[in-house]
């Protein structure tokens, strides 16, 4: 099937001028032309454009992209493997996130009653203020956010350390369940998922099963959460998400 330059630009969300430039530098030349000289792209051209856009998103210069795509020893599967490796590497750089990320997302600037020394003892290298603005933007208009921040504002250092200890103790047990091969939809795994929900209820806000499954989906979608859980043990993100969903279904 043949596509006009306008159709390709719209589908790929690039400008016609960009496609013209790619053609001029030999990065993406259309496979055909009409009798009047208009560009016509086929499915192979669209596949190449997809690879071009991917490498551009990762910051590759156009000259290097051309060299990669024109490598005669590479095949489509090789490009996919390379792209997978690049994405995995990018996610790996986020693995410095620590358990305090979930606490930090709940904290508001200057509202934690902790000294700088106490903040470091509780949160380590994670700065709660770094995530406070994002939390306000994403959830600031929700009742859960208002309740959570009000409660968090009154917690002492001892409160935060108790929460941290509870999270670490729970984390050790769910990691043990995963490494032991316990199915995510087993009674044991679902009980751990319920404990996870109850930690949120007990410390922050009324986390319904619907909200809890939404959090599970966010853990899978947000590379920061995924990186945190995967840094603990590979496969933990998906395992926890499946257990949360199974628990919600069993209690419906």
């Amino acid at each position: 099937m043949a596509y006009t330059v306008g159709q390709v630009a719209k589908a790929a969300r690039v400008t016609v001028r960009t496609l013209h430039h790619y053609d001029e530098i030999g990065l993406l030349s259309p496979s055909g032309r009409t009798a009047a000289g208009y560009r016509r792209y086929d499915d192979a051209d669209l596949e190449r454009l997809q690879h071009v856009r991917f490498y551009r998103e990762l910051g590759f210069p156009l000259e290097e992209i051309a060299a990669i795509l024109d490598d005669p020893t590479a095949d489509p599967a090789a490009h996919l493997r390379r792209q997978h490796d690049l994405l995995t590497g990018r996610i790996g750089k986020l693995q410095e996130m620590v358990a305090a990320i979930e606490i930090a997302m709940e904290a508001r600037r200057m509202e934690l009653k902790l000294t700088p020394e106490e903040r470091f003892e509780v949160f380590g290298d994670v700065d709660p203020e770094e995530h406070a603005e994002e939390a306000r933007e994403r959830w600031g208009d929700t009742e859960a956010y208002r309740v959570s921040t009000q409660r968090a504002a009154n917690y002492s250092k001892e409160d935060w350390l108790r929460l941290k200890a509870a999270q670490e103790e729970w984390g050790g047990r769910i990691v043990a369940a995963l490494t032991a091969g316990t199915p995510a939809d087993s009674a044991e795994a679902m009980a751990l998922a319920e404990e996870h929900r109850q930690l949120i209820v007990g410390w922050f806000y009324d986390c319904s099963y619907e909200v809890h499954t939404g959090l599970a989906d966010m853990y899978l979608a947000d590379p920061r959460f995924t990186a945190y859980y995967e840094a603990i043990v590979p496969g933990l993100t998906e395992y926890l998400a499946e257990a949360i969903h199974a628990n919600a279904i069993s209690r419906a």
Side-chain angles (χ1 to χ4, degrees):
M1 183 174 181
Y3 306 90
T4 67
V5 66
Q7 290 173 324
V8 174
K10 183 178 180 179
R13 296 182 180 180
V14 297
T15 65
V16 170
R17 183 175 181 179
T18 294
L19 293 176
H20 286 176
H21 178 61
Y22 288 172
D23 184 10
E24 291 167 359
I25 64 175
L27 178 60
L28 177 66
S29 297
S31 297
R33 297 265 181 174
T34 67
Y38 294 111
R39 297 172 173 85
R40 287 294 183 268
Y41 297 82
D42 62 16
D43 291 333
D45 297 329
L46 295 185
E47 182 178 354
R48 183 179 174 92
L49 177 58
Q50 184 180 38
H51 289 307
V52 170
R53 293 192 63 227
F54 180 87
Y55 285 118
R56 284 296 286 166
E57 286 292 327
L58 289 174
F60 282 65
L62 296 179
E63 295 81 3
E64 189 170 349
I65 296 173
I68 293 171
L69 297 182
D70 292 335
D71 180 356
T73 65
D75 59 22
H79 287 303
L80 291 175
R81 287 193 297 270
R82 178 186 178 90
Q83 291 166 1
H84 178 271
D85 291 343
L86 290 168
L87 280 177
T88 301
R90 173 173 286 188
I91 292 173
K93 292 178 182 178
L94 299 171
Q95 291 183 343
E96 62 192 42
M97 304 302 294
V98 296
I101 181 67
E102 290 189 272
I103 301 174
M105 291 293 285
E106 301 291 347
R108 298 185 69 175
R109 183 177 179 86
M110 302 306 290
E111 287 187 348
L112 291 180
K113 297 180 178 179
L114 302 177
T115 66
E117 292 78 14
E118 290 172 335
R119 286 192 180 205
F120 182 80
E121 183 178 350
V122 173
F123 298 108
D125 294 330
V126 175
D127 181 5
E129 296 175 5
E130 179 183 352
H131 304 283
E133 183 59 33
E134 179 181 354
R136 281 194 290 273
E137 290 179 358
R138 294 179 69 172
W139 302 300
D141 60 346
T142 65
E143 180 64 19
Y145 178 85
R146 287 189 289 271
V147 172
S148 178
T149 51
Q150 288 171 4
R151 294 174 68 177
N154 293 313
Y155 288 157
S156 65
K157 182 192 76 171
E158 288 71 25
D159 291 326
W160 289 112
L161 289 175
R162 283 196 299 116
L163 172 57
K164 183 179 181 181
Q167 288 180 320
E168 291 176 349
E169 192 276 334
W170 170 87
R173 286 188 288 118
I174 195 168
V175 167
L178 170 60
T179 55
T182 305
D185 60 353
S186 67
E188 180 182 347
M190 289 191 290
L192 287 166
E194 179 63 17
E195 286 187 45
H196 181 272
R197 189 182 74 88
Q198 290 297 336
L199 278 172
I200 299 172
V201 172
W203 286 91
F204 295 114
Y205 56 86
D206 184 13
C207 181
S208 67
Y209 290 105
E210 181 180 3
V211 171
H212 201 208
T213 55
L215 288 175
D217 293 340
M218 182 179 71
Y219 296 157
L220 292 170
D222 191 319
R224 291 167 301 179
F225 285 103
T226 302
Y228 160 60
Y229 285 116
E230 294 304 295
I232 297 173
V233 61
L236 182 56
T237 318
E238 185 174 351
Y239 185 77
L240 174 58
E242 289 183 7
I244 289 174
H245 277 274
N247 183 55
I249 293 172
S250 72
R251 297 172 184 272

